[in-house]
Amino acid sequence: MEYVEAFKDINQISKIKTYLRAHSSRDFLLFVLGINTGMKINEMLEITVASVLDETGKVKEFYEQPTENDEVNQIYLNLKVRTALQEYLKGSKVIEGQFLFLSPKTKKPITRQQAHRIIHDAVEGAGLTGKFGASSMRKTFGYHAYKQGVSLALIQKHYHHSSPSETLKYIGISKEKKFKTNIDVNL
């Protein structure tokens, strides 16, 4: 498997969003969900429509992700994710019992390979250079969380990494790199 990098520049992210929004609301949602939650691509592809809606049909603030040991991870769906979800669900033909990222051909979720192709095509379509793929979304989440002052320990826990150095390497940050962070309590 080839190494991919995070989208470190906000302008890159904006260009990809613009490209995807013009081509597919499903693919736009995939990208927005990926960069805002840090979920693994295979976890995102297993999401059903019903699992992101509450009993009144509104998009939930937290997605309850099942785990292998019968626990549940609470994944926060921020406003950008909830808005993209609402727009996609309003304009698509997916129904509650179906997968969120439904393939029109197979009626199953799109494959990891298709997700990688979506991101790769968006990178090319946006005129960007670099090594990017589906895993870039997960790395982007960690990179920007760290840059904005989120504790490395929390990011490490989110990724289930065994050490802080593993997390820094994964998100593409050298130990020498320093960021100016704003910790704004704003009480």
Side-chain angles (χ1 to χ4, degrees), residues 49-50 52-61 82 86 89:
V49 174
V52 294
L53 299 177
D54 65 17
E55 50 284 336
T56 67
K58 285 189 169 183
V59 176
K60 295 178 182 178
E61 190 172 353
R82 292 193 311 268
Q86 288 167 342
L89 293 173

Side-chain angles (χ1 to χ4, degrees), residues 58-170:
K58 285 189 169 183
V59 176
K60 295 178 182 178
E61 190 172 353
F62 286 89
Y63 164 66
E64 295 182 349
Q65 177 189 36
T67 64
E68 292 174 3
N69 55 359
D70 293 329
E71 292 179 10
V72 174
N73 283 339
Q74 298 280 327
I75 307 293
Y76 177 63
L77 304 178
N78 68 17
L79 184 59
K80 289 190 180 192
V81 172
R82 292 193 311 268
T83 301
L85 264 165
Q86 288 167 342
E87 288 174 11
Y88 171 61
L89 293 173
K90 184 172 58 174
S92 76
K93 295 178 180 154
V94 293
I95 54 175
E96 222 173 280
Q98 294 178 321
F99 290 102
L100 194 57
F101 300 106
L102 189 67
S103 166
K105 293 178 185 172
T106 66
K107 300 301 181 203
K108 293 181 181 177
I110 62 173
T111 63
R112 289 175 52 89
Q113 292 80 8
Q114 180 62 21
H116 178 79
R117 224 178 344 259
I118 289 165
I119 300 305
H120 181 74
D121 290 349
V123 167
E124 279 188 357
L128 306 178
T129 58
K131 294 186 178 188
F132 300 107
S135 295
S136 294
M137 297 182 292
R138 181 168 162 83
K139 291 180 178 192
T140 299
F141 169 81
Y143 176 85
H144 287 281
Y146 182 75
K147 189 176 172 187
Q148 291 175 17
V150 174
S151 156
L152 183 58
L154 285 176
I155 299 168
Q156 176 187 340
K157 182 179 178 186
H158 184 77
Y159 286 146
H160 304 287
H161 287 166
S162 59
S163 69
S165 61
E166 178 185 6
T167 302
L168 287 171
K169 182 179 178 186
Y170 181 76

Side-chain angles (χ1 to χ4, degrees), residues 183-187:
I183 301 175
D184 184 7
V185 178
N186 200 14
L187 301 171

Side-chain angles (χ1 to χ4, degrees), residues 144 146-149 177-183:
H144 287 281
Y146 182 75
K147 189 176 172 187
Q148 291 175 17
K177 179 101 175 173
K178 300 288 183 211
F179 291 111
K180 184 168 90 175
T181 58
N182 295 332
I183 301 175

